[in-house]
Amino acid sequence: MPEARTPADIEADIIRRRQDLAAALDEIAVRVHPKTIIGDAKAKAAAAVDRTAGRAYVVANRTVSDVRAQFVGEDGTPRLERVVPAAVVAVALVGALALTSRRKPAGRRRARRRHH
């Protein structure tokens, strides 16, 4: 048989439940406050940017290492059999770009007029 509660027990229980409810309402008020929502959104965005930047760094670092391995031996000496052809291609591309930038397209040429 359960014990009968006294009015003091009931009153203490009511006070405790009011305090618990007030604490829960305070927590909800903090969570839904615009500053809290904005702060949480900023923190999530910053974390996402950090993750993305970290991944990009790892990919870029791996790519640079892979390319470097193609042109430099394990002992640090250049692999001339790969460096020389790449340098020739680079020089040819730069030369071709220099030549095409000097020429004007045929449709753009105009006769010069002399003003007296």
Side-chain angles (χ1 to χ4, degrees), residues 64-101:
V64 168
S65 294
D66 291 347
V67 170
R68 185 177 186 276
Q70 295 295 317
F71 294 99
V72 178
E74 289 181 20
D75 59 350
T77 58
R79 292 178 158 181
L80 294 179
E81 72 277 5
R82 293 193 177 167
V83 171
V84 171
V88 169
V89 169
V91 168
L93 285 174
V94 169
L97 288 173
L99 288 176
T100 58
S101 68

Coordinates of all heavy atoms in Angstrom, one line a residue, residues 64-101:
V64 N 50.4 18.0 -55.7 CA 51.7 18.6 -55.8 C 52.8 17.5 -55.6 O 53.7 17.4 -56.3 CB 51.9 19.8 -54.8 CG1 53.4 20.2 -54.7 CG2 51.0 20.9 -55.2
S65 N 52.6 16.7 -54.6 CA 53.5 15.6 -54.3 C 53.6 14.6 -55.5 O 54.7 14.2 -55.9 CB 53.1 14.8 -53.1 OG 53.3 15.7 -51.9
D66 N 52.4 14.3 -56.1 CA 52.4 13.4 -57.2 C 53.1 14.0 -58.4 O 53.9 13.3 -59.1 CB 50.9 13.0 -57.6 CG 50.3 12.2 -56.6 OD1 50.9 11.6 -55.7 OD2 49.0 12.0 -56.6
V67 N 52.8 15.3 -58.7 CA 53.5 16.0 -59.8 C 55.0 16.0 -59.6 O 55.8 15.8 -60.5 CB 52.9 17.3 -60.1 CG1 53.7 18.2 -61.1 CG2 51.4 17.2 -60.6
R68 N 55.4 16.4 -58.4 CA 56.8 16.5 -58.0 C 57.5 15.2 -58.2 O 58.6 15.1 -58.7 CB 56.9 17.0 -56.6 CG 58.4 17.2 -56.2 CD 58.4 17.7 -54.8 NE 59.8 18.1 -54.4 CZ 60.7 17.3 -54.0 NH1 60.4 16.0 -53.8 NH2 61.9 17.7 -53.7
A69 N 56.8 14.1 -57.8 CA 57.4 12.8 -58.0 C 57.6 12.4 -59.5 O 58.5 11.6 -59.8 CB 56.5 11.7 -57.4
Q70 N 56.9 13.0 -60.4 CA 57.1 12.8 -61.8 C 58.3 13.5 -62.3 O 58.9 13.0 -63.3 CB 55.9 13.3 -62.6 CG 54.6 12.6 -62.3 CD 54.6 11.2 -62.7 OE1 55.1 10.8 -63.8 NE2 54.1 10.3 -61.9
F71 N 58.7 14.6 -61.7 CA 59.9 15.3 -62.2 C 61.1 15.3 -61.3 O 62.2 15.8 -61.7 CB 59.4 16.8 -62.4 CG 58.4 17.0 -63.5 CD1 57.1 17.1 -63.2 CD2 58.8 16.9 -64.8 CE1 56.1 17.2 -64.2 CE2 57.9 17.1 -65.8 CZ 56.5 17.2 -65.5
V72 N 61.0 14.8 -60.1 CA 62.1 14.7 -59.2 C 62.2 13.3 -58.6 O 61.2 12.7 -58.2 CB 61.9 15.7 -58.0 CG1 63.1 15.6 -57.0 CG2 61.8 17.1 -58.5
G73 N 63.4 12.7 -58.6 CA 63.7 11.4 -58.1 C 63.6 11.4 -56.6 O 63.5 12.4 -55.9
E74 N 63.6 10.2 -56.1 CA 63.5 10.0 -54.6 C 64.7 10.6 -53.9 O 64.6 11.0 -52.8 CB 63.4 8.5 -54.3 CG 62.1 7.9 -54.6 CD 62.0 6.4 -54.3 OE1 62.7 6.0 -53.4 OE2 61.1 5.8 -54.8
D75 N 65.8 10.7 -54.6 CA 67.0 11.3 -54.0 C 67.0 12.8 -54.1 O 68.0 13.5 -53.7 CB 68.3 10.7 -54.6 CG 68.4 10.9 -56.1 OD1 67.4 11.3 -56.7 OD2 69.4 10.6 -56.6
G76 N 66.0 13.4 -54.8 CA 65.9 14.8 -54.9 C 66.5 15.4 -56.2 O 66.5 16.6 -56.4
T77 N 67.1 14.5 -57.0 CA 67.7 15.0 -58.3 C 66.6 15.1 -59.4 O 65.6 14.3 -59.4 CB 68.8 14.1 -58.8 OG1 68.2 12.8 -58.9 CG2 69.9 14.0 -57.8
P78 N 66.7 16.1 -60.3 CA 65.6 16.2 -61.3 C 65.7 15.0 -62.3 O 66.8 14.5 -62.6 CB 66.0 17.5 -62.0 CG 67.3 17.9 -61.6 CD 67.7 17.1 -60.3
R79 N 64.6 14.6 -62.7 CA 64.5 13.5 -63.8 C 64.5 14.2 -65.1 O 63.5 14.7 -65.6 CB 63.2 12.7 -63.6 CG 63.1 11.9 -62.4 CD 61.8 11.2 -62.4 NE 61.8 10.1 -61.5 CZ 60.8 9.3 -61.3 NH1 59.6 9.5 -61.9 NH2 60.9 8.2 -60.5
L80 N 65.7 14.3 -65.7 CA 65.9 15.1 -66.9 C 65.1 14.5 -68.1 O 64.6 15.3 -68.9 CB 67.4 15.2 -67.3 CG 68.2 16.0 -66.3 CD1 69.7 16.0 -66.7 CD2 67.7 17.4 -66.2
E81 N 64.8 13.2 -68.1 CA 64.1 12.6 -69.2 C 62.6 13.1 -69.2 O 61.9 13.0 -70.2 CB 64.1 11.1 -69.1 CG 63.3 10.5 -68.0 CD 64.0 10.4 -66.6 OE1 65.1 11.0 -66.5 OE2 63.5 9.8 -65.7
R82 N 62.2 13.7 -68.1 CA 60.8 14.3 -68.0 C 60.8 15.8 -67.9 O 59.9 16.5 -68.4 CB 60.1 13.7 -66.8 CG 59.8 12.2 -66.9 CD 58.9 11.7 -66.0 NE 58.6 10.3 -66.2 CZ 58.0 9.5 -65.4 NH1 57.6 10.0 -64.2 NH2 57.7 8.3 -65.7
V83 N 61.9 16.4 -67.3 CA 61.9 17.8 -67.2 C 62.2 18.5 -68.5 O 61.5 19.5 -68.8 CB 63.0 18.2 -66.2 CG1 63.3 19.7 -66.1 CG2 62.7 17.7 -64.8
V84 N 63.1 18.0 -69.3 CA 63.4 18.6 -70.6 C 62.2 18.7 -71.5 O 61.9 19.7 -72.0 CB 64.7 17.9 -71.2 CG1 64.9 18.4 -72.6 CG2 65.9 18.1 -70.3
P85 N 61.5 17.6 -71.8 CA 60.3 17.7 -72.7 C 59.3 18.6 -72.1 O 58.7 19.4 -72.9 CB 59.8 16.2 -72.7 CG 60.9 15.4 -72.4 CD 61.8 16.2 -71.4
A86 N 59.1 18.6 -70.8 CA 58.1 19.6 -70.2 C 58.5 21.0 -70.4 O 57.7 21.9 -70.7 CB 57.9 19.3 -68.8
A87 N 59.8 21.3 -70.3 CA 60.3 22.6 -70.5 C 60.2 23.1 -71.9 O 59.8 24.2 -72.2 CB 61.8 22.7 -70.0
V88 N 60.4 22.1 -72.9 CA 60.3 22.5 -74.3 C 58.9 22.8 -74.6 O 58.6 23.8 -75.3 CB 60.8 21.3 -75.2 CG1 60.4 21.5 -76.6 CG2 62.3 21.1 -75.0
V89 N 57.9 22.0 -74.1 CA 56.5 22.3 -74.3 C 56.1 23.6 -73.7 O 55.4 24.4 -74.4 CB 55.6 21.2 -73.7 CG1 54.2 21.5 -73.7 CG2 55.8 19.9 -74.5
A90 N 56.6 23.9 -72.5 CA 56.3 25.2 -71.9 C 56.8 26.4 -72.7 O 56.1 27.4 -72.9 CB 56.8 25.3 -70.5
V91 N 58.0 26.3 -73.2 CA 58.6 27.4 -74.0 C 57.8 27.5 -75.3 O 57.6 28.7 -75.7 CB 60.1 27.1 -74.2 CG1 60.7 28.0 -75.3 CG2 60.9 27.2 -72.9
A92 N 57.4 26.4 -75.9 CA 56.7 26.5 -77.1 C 55.3 27.2 -76.9 O 54.9 28.0 -77.7 CB 56.5 25.1 -77.7
L93 N 54.7 26.8 -75.8 CA 53.4 27.5 -75.5 C 53.5 29.0 -75.2 O 52.7 29.8 -75.7 CB 52.7 26.8 -74.3 CG 52.1 25.4 -74.5 CD1 51.7 24.8 -73.2 CD2 51.0 25.5 -75.5
V94 N 54.5 29.3 -74.5 CA 54.8 30.8 -74.2 C 55.1 31.5 -75.5 O 54.6 32.6 -75.8 CB 55.9 31.0 -73.2 CG1 56.4 32.4 -73.1 CG2 55.5 30.5 -71.8
G95 N 55.9 30.9 -76.4 CA 56.2 31.5 -77.7 C 55.0 31.7 -78.6 O 54.8 32.7 -79.2
A96 N 54.1 30.6 -78.6 CA 52.9 30.7 -79.4 C 52.0 31.8 -78.9 O 51.4 32.5 -79.6 CB 52.2 29.3 -79.4
L97 N 51.9 31.9 -77.6 CA 51.0 32.9 -77.0 C 51.6 34.3 -77.3 O 50.8 35.3 -77.5 CB 50.9 32.7 -75.5 CG 50.0 31.6 -75.0 CD1 50.1 31.4 -73.5 CD2 48.6 31.8 -75.4
A98 N 52.9 34.5 -77.2 CA 53.5 35.8 -77.5 C 53.2 36.1 -79.0 O 53.0 37.3 -79.3 CB 55.0 35.7 -77.2
L99 N 53.3 35.2 -79.9 CA 53.1 35.5 -81.3 C 51.6 35.9 -81.6 O 51.4 36.8 -82.3 CB 53.5 34.3 -82.2 CG 55.0 34.1 -82.3 CD1 55.3 32.8 -83.1 CD2 55.7 35.3 -83.0
T100 N 50.7 35.1 -81.0 CA 49.3 35.4 -81.2 C 48.9 36.7 -80.6 O 48.0 37.4 -81.1 CB 48.4 34.3 -80.7 OG1 48.6 34.1 -79.3 CG2 48.7 33.0 -81.5
S101 N 49.5 37.1 -79.5 CA 49.1 38.4 -78.9 C 49.6 39.6 -79.6 O 49.0 40.7 -79.5 CB 49.6 38.4 -77.4 OG 51.0 38.5 -77.4

